[in-house]
Amino acid sequence: MKIAVGGFQHETNTFAPTKADLSAFVDGGGWPALSRGEEIFSATNGVNLPIAGFTDEARALGHQLVPTAWAAASPSAQVTREAYETIAGYIVEGIRAAGGIDGVYLDLHGAMVTEHYQDGEGELLRRLRDLLGREMPIVVSLDLHANVTPEMAGLADALVAYRTYPHVDMAVTGARAMRLLQGLMQGRKPHKAMRQIPFLLPLTSGCSLIEPAAGLYDLVGALEERGVASTSFTAGFAPADIWHAGPSVMAFGENDAETERAADALAEAVLAAESRFGGDILSAEDAVAEAMRVAASVRRPVVLADTQDNPGAGGNGDTVGLLAELVRQKAQGAVLGVLIDAASAAQATEAGEGAQLEMALGAVSGIPGHRPLRVRATVKRLGDGRFTCTGPFYKGSRMQLGPMALLDVDGVEVALASRKAQAADQEMFRHLGIEPSERRILALKSSVHFRADFQPIAEQVIVAAAPGPNPVDHRKLDYKNLRPGVRLMPGGPVSGPLSP
């Protein structure tokens, strides 16, 4: 059969300092750059992405694929109107030009907010339904952190979400989406059931390697084994000030009653686990002190997660609160990365390896109250930012991070890059001559994705609440648009009275 394919991925933190303009998608950064037509397949081949898994499965089943456009940008504030209309236009017009198709697959995130739409994915699906009608099978793969809206669930025939955080199953999810689309194109129309969960879930406590998320995702798979075609639990993306922010569960199946029961069972399990979605978060001062204490008596590195400046949650990776504390406490043998500061990377590149410089590091986003860290640094190593990732999350991704530099600041090393990507792959450090397993402390600008590649080499993981635009405690965010009755933290206060 003939299937039109496309993708448009962005996770939007409406409280972040920088919007995603068209250049953010054209450059790609940590993800393949904006691609159109057949170049989609070469850009994404072998990369841990849903569209890559979908493509492999579709070709194995003998289908013809019609590529439209695929694009992704690092999480940030809203997608600009120009970027959204350009890329959405490529997808819609590509499908219009395809003609005679039997189905549509879209590789979306599910938490895109634009300058003019709260629900970027829902709007794209609406445009496709206006073009194709209600009978055309449309299947969408989603990120585990999708803020699924009733419009998305109503307009797509099936929504299929990742089941791992770190997201090591992105390509696997694309293959599952193809198998669902196969049934739809053969005439099977599933019943759909969706339940929204009334609390916001912190990123750090939703890791599927630990409880309660581990057990919940086991249940997702078990429900399918009982006869439901597809079930998903999306944890939502809390720093998005929109009406439908938050977790949800979905079920798709041919038996209406079984599908509804599966959705109820999964929703009840999530609600029962609410009080367990917690975890110890230390201040930067306490986190560094604890890391130094542990590192003094072990052989493997201690990992510090700089979660509140996570580029994977909309941060720009440029705050220096944790770095300042590492330097103040003289954390010898520590390395922090990746600090995104193009001007400092250019300064180091111009000076050359071995140079000693007076530098003002970080804090380039203009976040109120944030100031650069003034240091005297030695340039230890330079890189061009081009390398291929090998870890489970970014596997196969061909990074384009621009000029990079490794600095030494009073015995604390700093890995600089010019384009943002969260520190979730050891190759980001190896590119600058660092073998991560040989450092005493690894301070990573990431919330959870780092665990896929770094937890196996770590003695302990400590989550630090250093300054940044992605606070672990959502009560620190000034929500204006969140629907009433949603608890801002598990077991915490609810959002105020609003009207849609």
Side-chain angles (χ1 to χ4, degrees):
M1 295 186 180
K2 187 176 179 182
I3 304 169
V5 301
F8 193 4
Q9 290 218 11
H10 190 263
E11 185 176 58
T12 306
N13 179 340
T14 59
F15 302 97
T18 307
K19 293 182 179 180
D21 59 12
L22 186 57
S23 68
F25 294 93
V26 170
D27 293 338
W31 300 114
L34 168 65
S35 51
R36 300 177 65 186
E38 291 292 330
E39 67 181 7
I40 292 174
F41 302 129
S42 59
T44 61
N45 181 49
V47 182
N48 180 31
L49 287 170
I51 195 166
F54 181 93
T55 298
D56 289 346
E57 186 74 6
R59 287 175 170 166
L61 292 169
H63 298 301
Q64 176 189 354
L65 299 182
V66 181
T68 59
W70 188 93
S74 292
S76 66
Q78 288 89 336
V79 176
T80 64
R81 179 187 291 264
E82 178 196 22
Y84 182 82
E85 294 299 335
T86 298
I87 298 167
Y90 290 157
I91 294 172
V92 173
E93 292 309 310
I95 292 174
R96 188 193 309 275
I101 59 175
D102 300 291
V104 175
Y105 163 70
L106 294 178
D107 177 6
L108 306 180
H109 184 285
M112 181 192 295
V113 185
T114 78
E115 288 181 326
H116 52 322
Y117 298 112
Q118 281 195 14
D119 179 10
E121 288 88 356
E123 173 61 20
L124 177 57
L125 287 167
R126 183 194 64 76
R127 295 181 187 187
L128 289 181
R129 283 299 180 202
D130 287 348
L131 172 66
L132 301 170
R134 297 295 308 185
E135 297 306 311
M136 176 64 65
I138 299 177
V139 171
V140 177
S141 61
L142 295 175
D143 192 284
L144 180 147
H145 294 107
N147 288 320
V148 180
T149 67
E151 289 74 22
M152 291 163 58
L155 291 165
D157 290 294
L159 303 171
V160 188
Y162 314 158
R163 296 176 181 175
T164 63
Y165 183 35
H167 303 330
V168 297
D169 68 330
M170 290 188 280
V172 171
T173 302
R176 288 196 289 117
M178 176 61 243
R179 292 191 289 273
L180 269 180
L181 183 57
Q182 174 95 342
L184 287 163
M185 294 189 301
Q186 292 172 345
R188 296 195 294 271
K189 204 75 168 177
H191 178 74
K192 299 183 285 187
M194 175 191 172
R195 309 284 187 268
Q196 290 181 302
I197 305 299
F199 63 85
L200 300 183
L201 199 159
L203 283 178
T204 50
S205 62
C207 175
S208 62
L209 299 174
I210 58 177
E211 296 295 346
L216 291 171
Y217 288 107
D218 285 343
L219 177 59
V220 168
L223 289 168
E224 287 187 352
E225 293 174 2
R226 299 174 195 172
V228 179
S230 175
T231 54
S232 291
F233 164 42
T234 56
F237 188 61
D241 186 15
I242 62 172
W243 186 262
H244 287 297
S248 62
V249 303
M250 296 165 288
F252 301 87
E254 294 185 57
N255 184 294
D256 295 10
E258 283 293 331
T259 304
E260 293 290 340
R261 279 195 291 269
D264 285 338
L266 189 51
E268 289 166 6
V270 175
L271 290 169
E274 179 175 359
S275 63
R276 301 166 62 202
F277 281 110
D280 294 328
I281 311 293
L282 300 180
S283 68
E285 179 180 3
D286 291 344
V288 170
E290 178 64 9
M292 292 175 66
R293 184 191 69 78
V294 175
S297 60
V298 299
R299 292 177 178 269
R300 300 196 304 169
V302 177
V303 171
L304 286 171
D306 194 0
T307 183
Q308 297 193 150
D309 190 34
N310 172 18
N316 279 354
D318 68 329
T319 65
V320 291
L322 189 59
L323 174 59
E325 199 57 43
L326 289 164
V327 173
R328 188 185 73 81
Q329 295 193 38
K330 297 180 172 55
Q332 304 297 296
V335 57
L336 179 139
V338 176
L339 184 68
I340 312 302
D341 183 345
S344 293
Q347 183 183 356
T349 299
E350 182 177 357
E353 293 181 0
Q356 292 190 338
L357 300 171
E358 300 290 335
M359 307 183 77
L361 294 178
V364 298
S365 299
I367 301 174
H370 291 248
R371 299 287 183 271
L373 181 64
R374 298 193 174 276
V375 301
R376 182 169 180 79
T378 301
V379 181
K380 295 184 69 175
R381 191 75 173 262
L382 298 172
D384 62 9
R386 298 178 181 178
F387 54 92
T388 299
C389 290
T390 57
F393 171 65
Y394 272 131
K395 184 178 181 180
S397 291
R398 296 170 280 277
M399 290 281 168
Q400 301 278 344
L401 300 187
M404 296 183 68
L406 179 67
L407 308 178
D408 183 289
V409 179
D410 295 333
V412 175
E413 292 173 311
V414 186
L416 293 175
S418 301
R419 297 179 188 146
K420 76 173 185 176
Q422 67 173 303
D425 198 283
Q426 293 186 48
E427 295 300 329
M428 295 176 169
F429 294 90
R430 292 181 180 131
H431 181 66
L432 293 173
I434 296 172
E435 179 51 51
S437 63
E438 297 175 357
R439 293 303 186 267
R440 294 175 64 239
I441 297 173
L442 301 171
L444 307 177
K445 287 190 175 288
S446 178
S447 292
V448 171
H449 285 316
F450 72 89
R451 289 181 182 266
D453 205 21
F454 289 89
Q455 187 161 306
I457 67 169
E459 179 68 28
Q460 184 175 332
V461 172
I462 299 170
V463 181
N470 177 46
V472 174
D473 187 346
H474 308 138
R475 292 169 295 189
K476 296 180 180 179
L477 297 173
D478 185 20
Y479 290 95
K480 303 291 188 185
N481 301 300
L482 185 62
R483 66 192 184 280
V486 176
R487 295 183 283 282
L488 300 182
M489 291 289 287
V494 300
S495 57
L498 299 172
S499 57

